[in-house]
Amino acid sequence: MSAIHEHVLPNGMTILCWHQPYLRGLEMGLYLRGGSIYETEETQGISHLLEHLCFRGLGGLNHDTLQQTLNRFGADMEGITTAEAIVFRLTSLPRFFDGMLDVFARFFAQTPWSPEVIEKEKQIVLRQIEQAEEDFDELVDRAWRETPAGVFPRMGTKEAIQALDEDTIWNWQRLIFQPQNACLVLSGNFSSGMEQTAVETFASLKNYTNEPPFEQSAPLGFGMRDADSDMVVDSDVPDAQAQVHIAFDIDEESVFPLAARMVDAITAGNDDSLLFQTLREEEALVAEIDSFIQEMGQFHRLVIRYDVHQEKLSESLRKVFMYLHRLTMYVRPIRLSQLRSHFTVGNALAQDHVSEMNELAGWAWVAGDTSRADLDAQASQLNDLTAEELLDAAQTIFKPENLCISVERDPNVVTEDMEALFAELRAML
C-alpha cells in the first residue's frame, strides 16, 4: 500500500503506520480480535469485562498511576468492545510518543488482576447490564451475528458475568492480549524513527499459544437467506412508528468493497439518493431513511433502515423493493460521475482527521484485508469503475438469497399478512 506502511512482525502482530505530517496530533490504536462472536454460553461478556479491567490496572500500573500517566498526555484513553474486536485508542501530541508506546506495550504484560479488582469491575458491568434495554436494532443485529456456537449479548448476562472465575479470566486475557491477535495503528504526525521504535518494541513480544486463538465463523445462513431469515416483532409502544430493517449479505468474492459502498450510496447512503427523495421528500412516508454497510469482521451486509407510520408500512416496503429492482436494471452514468465526486472529496477530507484514518486502517485489519485502507488504490479503482460494473454489483447484492427483512409493527394497525407480503417483496427481485 502506498499511503500506509504495513509491518507484519515475526510474532504475527501487525503494525500499520499512516503518516500525516501536516497534522499536530498523533493517535495510537490497538485492535484485538475478541468479542461476542468468539465467546460461548459460559464465557459470554468476558471480552467486555476484560476491556473494563484494563482501566483498573495495566501491566503493573494500578488505576491511579495509569490515570496519572494519561493525564500527563492531556488525554483520555478510549476503549470499546464490539461483537468482533476490542479497541483502545489514545490521541495526544508527538512529544508524548514514548510514554504512549509504553502504555500500549503494557497491554501484553499479562499482569493478572487481583480478585478484589475483578469483583469491583464485575459489579459495574452488572449494573450496565441491568440498565441496558435491547431495542429493535439490537435484536436484528444479534440475529445476524448468530453462528453455530450461538449468539450472545456483547455484555453477556448477569449469570454469566457472576460465574466467571479468575482462571477463566486469566486464560482469556492470554488469548486476547497476545501479539498474533493484535494490530497497532499509528496515525498522524510521527517520524520514521518513531515508526521503527514501535516495530522494535512490539517485535520483541512473545505469544502464549502456537496457533491463532480465534477464527471467525460465518453467520448462519450467510448468502443463503430465505423466508426463515425474516423477522416480525410486535410493538407494544402506543403510537410508535413501524421500524424497517432490510439487509443484503455481501459476498466480497463477487463484489469488491468499493463497488458495494457505491451501491450503498446510490440506494440511500446520502440525501441525494432517489430512495431518500421518493420516500421522504415526495410522499413524506418516513422521517429519515438511510443505508450503510455493516461489518462484522470478515462478513458484511448492506442495510436499509427507516421508520414509517404504521398505516404506511406495507406501501413503503413495496416502493423500496420497486426501487431496488430498478437498480438491478439500470445505473445512470451521470450518477456514477456524481458518486466519484462525493467519494473523492470524502476521502480527501478524511485524511485531515487522525482518528478517521486510525479507524479506517484498524477496522480493515479486523476485516482481514488491510488493502481496503489504501485510499490511493481506491482512487484508481474509482476512476476505472464503469456504470456497467456498478450495475453488476447491484445485481449481485440485491438477490433474494442475500435478503433478510425485519419489521417491528403494531399488529392492531398493520393487519396485512407479513409472511405473504415478504414473499411478494422477494419475488420482486
Side-chain angles (χ1 to χ4, degrees):
M1 293 182 290
S2 57
I4 294 182
H5 295 166
E6 180 177 9
H7 306 271
V8 181
L9 308 182
N11 56 21
M13 185 172 180
T14 298
I15 297 181
L16 299 176
C17 301
W18 197 311
H19 193 204
Q20 299 164 282
Y22 44 86
L23 299 181
R24 290 175 180 264
L26 163 71
E27 179 161 305
M28 290 188 188
L30 181 63
Y31 297 77
L32 302 138
R33 294 186 184 92
S36 58
I37 63 173
Y38 300 114
E39 296 168 356
T40 64
E41 187 77 32
E42 294 76 22
T43 60
Q44 59 179 298
I46 194 168
S47 301
H48 179 246
L49 177 62
L50 284 168
E51 177 233 313
H52 274 238
L53 285 168
C54 287
F55 290 90
R56 284 279 179 181
L58 190 62
L61 299 180
N62 62 29
H63 174 268
D64 290 342
T65 306
L66 174 60
Q67 193 56 54
Q68 290 170 7
T69 300
L70 296 175
N71 288 341
R72 282 208 314 274
F73 307 152
D76 293 320
M77 185 163 63
E78 176 188 9
I80 62 169
T81 302
T82 68
E84 71 275 40
I86 305 174
V87 180
F88 299 92
R89 300 200 346 250
L90 178 61
T91 306
S92 190
L93 296 176
R95 68 172 179 267
F96 297 115
F97 172 84
D98 289 336
M100 294 168 66
L101 195 65
D102 176 71
V103 167
F104 278 84
R106 290 178 182 273
F107 280 100
F108 303 92
Q110 298 297 314
T111 304
W113 295 281
S114 69
E116 294 77 18
V117 165
I118 291 174
E119 185 56 33
K120 285 181 180 178
E121 204 57 46
K122 274 188 177 183
Q123 294 306 312
I124 292 176
V125 172
L126 290 173
R127 290 198 296 272
Q128 288 183 332
I129 294 173
E130 288 176 355
Q131 296 170 6
E133 295 183 4
E134 185 175 67
D135 59 12
F136 174 68
D137 286 333
E138 174 62 19
L139 189 65
V140 173
D141 185 44
R142 280 187 58 193
W144 183 56
R145 298 200 313 263
E146 186 173 6
T147 68
V151 59
F152 312 106
R154 288 183 177 89
M155 291 189 290
T157 63
K158 293 174 62 176
E159 295 75 17
I161 294 299
Q162 289 171 331
L164 290 174
D165 56 39
E166 294 172 51
D167 288 341
T168 302
I169 293 172
W170 169 237
N171 182 52
W172 274 72
Q173 181 185 2
R174 288 162 62 91
L175 286 173
I176 292 176
F177 294 96
Q178 58 174 330
Q180 65 180 345
N181 193 51
C183 174
L184 181 75
V185 180
L186 300 180
S187 58
N189 191 351
F190 57 90
S191 67
S192 58
M194 293 175 178
E195 179 176 336
Q196 186 59 35
T197 298
V199 170
E200 293 172 354
T201 298
F202 288 97
S204 64
L205 302 178
K206 305 296 182 183
N207 289 307
Y208 296 92
T209 62
N210 293 324
E211 298 295 329
F214 298 119
E215 183 174 344
Q216 186 178 357
S217 299
L220 288 180
F222 188 82
M224 297 179 290
R225 306 294 182 184
D226 55 25
D228 291 337
S229 304
D230 299 333
M231 180 187 304
V232 178
V233 178
D234 291 340
S235 173
D236 56 2
V237 180
D239 301 321
Q241 290 191 326
Q243 298 186 68
V244 176
H245 194 287
I246 304 166
F248 292 88
D249 293 337
I250 300 175
D251 181 359
E252 292 203 350
E253 292 186 0
S254 304
V255 182
F256 62 93
L258 180 62
R261 287 175 55 206
M262 296 190 76
V263 170
D264 163 52
I266 292 175
T267 305
N270 60 59
D271 292 357
D272 190 41
S273 71
L274 184 58
L275 186 54
F276 184 95
Q277 297 292 336
T278 299
L279 290 185
R280 184 177 187 270
E281 300 293 342
E282 294 180 9
E283 302 190 26
L285 295 182
V286 293
E288 185 173 313
I289 184 168
D290 63 355
S291 66
F292 55 92
I293 303 295
Q294 183 177 16
E295 301 189 0
M296 184 180 67
Q298 303 170 34
F299 300 96
H300 311 94
R301 62 178 181 170
L302 188 153
V303 176
I304 301 166
R305 174 74 177 84
Y306 68 92
D307 297 345
V308 63
H309 292 301
Q310 299 282 348
E311 61 272 15
K312 295 290 189 179
L313 173 61
S314 300
E315 178 186 349
S316 71
L317 281 167
R318 289 186 174 94
K319 286 183 177 292
V320 168
F321 277 80
M322 285 177 59
Y323 174 73
L324 295 179
H325 174 66
R326 175 180 168 181
L327 268 181
T328 65
M329 302 295 291
Y330 179 63
V331 173
R332 293 181 302 156
I334 190 174
R335 189 69 176 118
L336 176 57
S337 298
Q338 294 167 346
L339 286 173
R340 283 199 183 103
S341 297
H342 278 284
F343 275 68
T344 300
V345 172
N347 285 346
L349 293 178
Q351 295 183 66
D352 288 337
H353 298 274
V354 63
S355 293
E356 286 195 34
M357 292 298 96
N358 200 285
E359 289 191 18
L360 177 61
W363 289 112
W365 174 83
V366 172
D369 181 13
T370 54
S371 67
R372 70 175 55 214
D374 187 346
L375 296 185
D376 289 345
Q378 287 187 29
S380 177
Q381 293 170 358
L382 193 61
N383 289 330
D384 294 339
L385 191 66
T386 66
E388 289 75 17
E389 289 171 329
L390 203 55
L391 176 62
D392 182 66
Q395 292 172 343
T396 305
I397 294 171
F398 296 130
K399 290 182 177 180
E401 57 265 35
N402 297 330
L403 170 63
C404 180
I405 310 171
S406 302
V407 168
E408 184 179 65
R409 56 85 195 258
D410 183 343
N412 296 317
V413 179
V414 183
T415 57
E416 183 169 358
D417 183 342
M418 290 289 103
E419 184 175 341
L421 175 60
F422 290 174
E424 174 189 338
L425 299 175
R426 287 175 175 275
M428 293 173 67
L429 298 177

Short mmCIF file of all heavy atoms in Angstrom, two decimals, residues 223-249:
data_model
loop_
_atom_site.label_atom_id
_atom_site.label_comp_id
_atom_site.label_asym_id
_atom_site.label_seq_id
_atom_site.Cartn_x
_atom_site.Cartn_y
_atom_site.Cartn_z
N GLY A 223 -25.53 -15.55 2.85
CA GLY A 223 -25.63 -15.76 1.42
C GLY A 223 -26.60 -16.86 1.02
O GLY A 223 -26.68 -17.23 -0.15
N MET A 224 -27.36 -17.37 1.98
CA MET A 224 -28.35 -18.43 1.71
C MET A 224 -29.63 -18.13 2.47
O MET A 224 -30.19 -18.97 3.16
CB MET A 224 -27.80 -19.80 2.09
CG MET A 224 -26.57 -20.23 1.31
SD MET A 224 -25.95 -21.85 1.81
CE MET A 224 -25.30 -21.45 3.44
N ARG A 225 -30.10 -16.90 2.38
CA ARG A 225 -31.27 -16.47 3.13
C ARG A 225 -32.56 -16.95 2.47
O ARG A 225 -32.63 -17.11 1.25
CB ARG A 225 -31.30 -14.94 3.24
CG ARG A 225 -30.04 -14.31 3.81
CD ARG A 225 -29.83 -14.67 5.25
NE ARG A 225 -28.64 -14.03 5.81
CZ ARG A 225 -28.19 -14.25 7.03
NH1 ARG A 225 -28.83 -15.09 7.84
NH2 ARG A 225 -27.09 -13.65 7.46
N ASP A 226 -33.57 -17.14 3.29
CA ASP A 226 -34.90 -17.46 2.80
C ASP A 226 -35.92 -16.87 3.77
O ASP A 226 -35.56 -16.06 4.64
CB ASP A 226 -35.09 -18.98 2.65
CG ASP A 226 -34.79 -19.74 3.94
OD1 ASP A 226 -34.91 -19.14 5.04
OD2 ASP A 226 -34.44 -20.92 3.86
N ALA A 227 -37.17 -17.26 3.65
CA ALA A 227 -38.22 -16.68 4.49
C ALA A 227 -37.96 -16.91 5.98
O ALA A 227 -38.41 -16.12 6.81
CB ALA A 227 -39.58 -17.26 4.10
N ASP A 228 -37.23 -17.98 6.32
CA ASP A 228 -36.94 -18.24 7.73
C ASP A 228 -35.99 -17.21 8.33
O ASP A 228 -35.86 -17.13 9.55
CB ASP A 228 -36.34 -19.64 7.89
CG ASP A 228 -37.35 -20.75 7.59
OD1 ASP A 228 -38.56 -20.48 7.71
OD2 ASP A 228 -36.92 -21.87 7.24
N SER A 229 -35.31 -16.45 7.47
CA SER A 229 -34.41 -15.41 7.96
C SER A 229 -35.14 -14.14 8.37
O SER A 229 -34.59 -13.30 9.08
CB SER A 229 -33.38 -15.06 6.88
OG SER A 229 -32.67 -16.19 6.44
N ASP A 230 -36.37 -13.98 7.89
CA ASP A 230 -37.13 -12.75 8.15
C ASP A 230 -37.63 -12.70 9.59
O ASP A 230 -37.73 -13.73 10.27
CB ASP A 230 -38.30 -12.63 7.18
CG ASP A 230 -37.85 -12.58 5.73
OD1 ASP A 230 -36.72 -12.12 5.49
OD2 ASP A 230 -38.63 -12.99 4.85
N MET A 231 -37.94 -11.50 10.05
CA MET A 231 -38.36 -11.32 11.44
C MET A 231 -39.48 -10.28 11.52
O MET A 231 -39.38 -9.22 10.91
CB MET A 231 -37.16 -10.86 12.29
CG MET A 231 -37.47 -10.63 13.75
SD MET A 231 -36.06 -9.91 14.65
CE MET A 231 -34.77 -11.12 14.32
N VAL A 232 -40.53 -10.61 12.25
CA VAL A 232 -41.61 -9.67 12.54
C VAL A 232 -41.75 -9.56 14.05
O VAL A 232 -41.95 -10.56 14.73
CB VAL A 232 -42.95 -10.11 11.91
CG1 VAL A 232 -44.05 -9.12 12.28
CG2 VAL A 232 -42.82 -10.23 10.40
N VAL A 233 -41.60 -8.34 14.56
CA VAL A 233 -41.69 -8.09 16.00
C VAL A 233 -42.93 -7.24 16.25
O VAL A 233 -43.13 -6.22 15.58
CB VAL A 233 -40.43 -7.38 16.52
CG1 VAL A 233 -40.56 -7.07 18.00
CG2 VAL A 233 -39.19 -8.22 16.24
N ASP A 234 -43.75 -7.64 17.20
CA ASP A 234 -44.94 -6.86 17.56
C ASP A 234 -44.57 -5.79 18.58
O ASP A 234 -43.96 -6.09 19.61
CB ASP A 234 -46.02 -7.78 18.14
CG ASP A 234 -46.62 -8.71 17.10
OD1 ASP A 234 -46.48 -8.40 15.90
OD2 ASP A 234 -47.21 -9.74 17.48
N SER A 235 -44.91 -4.56 18.26
CA SER A 235 -44.61 -3.44 19.15
C SER A 235 -45.71 -3.28 20.18
O SER A 235 -46.90 -3.42 19.87
CB SER A 235 -44.47 -2.15 18.35
OG SER A 235 -44.34 -1.04 19.20
N ASP A 236 -45.31 -2.98 21.40
CA ASP A 236 -46.29 -2.73 22.46
C ASP A 236 -46.22 -1.28 22.94
O ASP A 236 -46.73 -0.93 24.01
CB ASP A 236 -46.07 -3.67 23.65
CG ASP A 236 -44.66 -3.59 24.21
OD1 ASP A 236 -43.86 -2.78 23.71
OD2 ASP A 236 -44.34 -4.35 25.15
N VAL A 237 -45.57 -0.42 22.13
CA VAL A 237 -45.45 1.01 22.48
C VAL A 237 -46.56 1.78 21.76
O VAL A 237 -46.61 1.78 20.52
CB VAL A 237 -44.07 1.56 22.07
CG1 VAL A 237 -43.97 3.04 22.42
CG2 VAL A 237 -42.96 0.77 22.73
N PRO A 238 -47.45 2.42 22.49
CA PRO A 238 -48.55 3.14 21.84
C PRO A 238 -48.05 4.24 20.91
O PRO A 238 -47.10 4.97 21.24
CB PRO A 238 -49.32 3.74 23.03
CG PRO A 238 -48.93 2.90 24.20
CD PRO A 238 -47.52 2.49 23.96
N ASP A 239 -48.66 4.33 19.73
CA ASP A 239 -48.38 5.40 18.76
C ASP A 239 -46.95 5.38 18.21
O ASP A 239 -46.50 6.36 17.61
CB ASP A 239 -48.65 6.79 19.37
CG ASP A 239 -50.09 6.94 19.83
OD1 ASP A 239 -50.98 6.43 19.12
OD2 ASP A 239 -50.31 7.56 20.88
N ALA A 240 -46.24 4.29 18.42
CA ALA A 240 -44.88 4.19 17.88
C ALA A 240 -44.93 3.96 16.38
O ALA A 240 -45.86 3.34 15.86
CB ALA A 240 -44.13 3.06 18.55
N GLN A 241 -43.91 4.47 15.68
CA GLN A 241 -43.82 4.20 14.26
C GLN A 241 -43.32 2.78 14.03
O GLN A 241 -42.64 2.19 14.88
CB GLN A 241 -42.88 5.19 13.59
CG GLN A 241 -43.42 6.60 13.51
CD GLN A 241 -42.58 7.49 12.61
OE1 GLN A 241 -41.37 7.34 12.53
NE2 GLN A 241 -43.24 8.41 11.91
N ALA A 242 -43.66 2.23 12.88
CA ALA A 242 -43.11 0.94 12.48
C ALA A 242 -41.63 1.13 12.13
O ALA A 242 -41.23 2.20 11.67
CB ALA A 242 -43.87 0.38 11.28
N GLN A 243 -40.84 0.11 12.38
CA GLN A 243 -39.42 0.15 12.07
C GLN A 243 -39.10 -0.91 11.03
O GLN A 243 -39.58 -2.05 11.11
CB GLN A 243 -38.57 -0.08 13.32
CG GLN A 243 -38.78 0.97 14.39
CD GLN A 243 -37.81 0.77 15.56
OE1 GLN A 243 -36.60 0.95 15.41
NE2 GLN A 243 -38.35 0.40 16.70
N VAL A 244 -38.26 -0.54 10.06
CA VAL A 244 -37.91 -1.43 8.95
C VAL A 244 -36.40 -1.57 8.88
O VAL A 244 -35.66 -0.59 8.99
CB VAL A 244 -38.45 -0.88 7.61
CG1 VAL A 244 -38.00 -1.76 6.45
CG2 VAL A 244 -39.97 -0.77 7.64
N HIS A 245 -35.97 -2.81 8.69
CA HIS A 245 -34.55 -3.13 8.60
C HIS A 245 -34.41 -4.17 7.48
O HIS A 245 -34.78 -5.33 7.66
CB HIS A 245 -34.09 -3.70 9.95
CG HIS A 245 -32.62 -3.77 10.14
ND1 HIS A 245 -31.82 -4.70 9.51
CD2 HIS A 245 -31.78 -3.05 10.93
CE1 HIS A 245 -30.56 -4.53 9.90
NE2 HIS A 245 -30.51 -3.55 10.76
N ILE A 246 -33.90 -3.74 6.33
CA ILE A 246 -33.74 -4.61 5.16
C ILE A 246 -32.25 -4.81 4.95
O ILE A 246 -31.51 -3.84 4.80
CB ILE A 246 -34.37 -3.99 3.91
CG1 ILE A 246 -35.85 -3.67 4.15
CG2 ILE A 246 -34.22 -4.91 2.71
CD1 ILE A 246 -36.45 -2.77 3.09
N ALA A 247 -31.79 -6.05 4.94
CA ALA A 247 -30.36 -6.32 4.87
C ALA A 247 -30.05 -7.32 3.76
O ALA A 247 -30.78 -8.30 3.56
CB ALA A 247 -29.85 -6.84 6.20
N PHE A 248 -28.94 -7.06 3.05
CA PHE A 248 -28.46 -7.95 1.99
C PHE A 248 -27.02 -8.36 2.29
O PHE A 248 -26.14 -7.50 2.39
CB PHE A 248 -28.50 -7.25 0.63
CG PHE A 248 -29.88 -6.96 0.11
CD1 PHE A 248 -30.53 -5.77 0.45
CD2 PHE A 248 -30.54 -7.87 -0.70
CE1 PHE A 248 -31.80 -5.49 -0.03
CE2 PHE A 248 -31.82 -7.60 -1.17
CZ PHE A 248 -32.45 -6.42 -0.84
N ASP A 249 -26.78 -9.66 2.45
CA ASP A 249 -25.42 -10.15 2.63
C ASP A 249 -24.58 -9.82 1.40
O ASP A 249 -25.08 -9.87 0.26
CB ASP A 249 -25.42 -11.66 2.84
CG ASP A 249 -26.07 -12.08 4.15
OD1 ASP A 249 -26.13 -11.25 5.07
OD2 ASP A 249 -26.52 -13.24 4.24
#
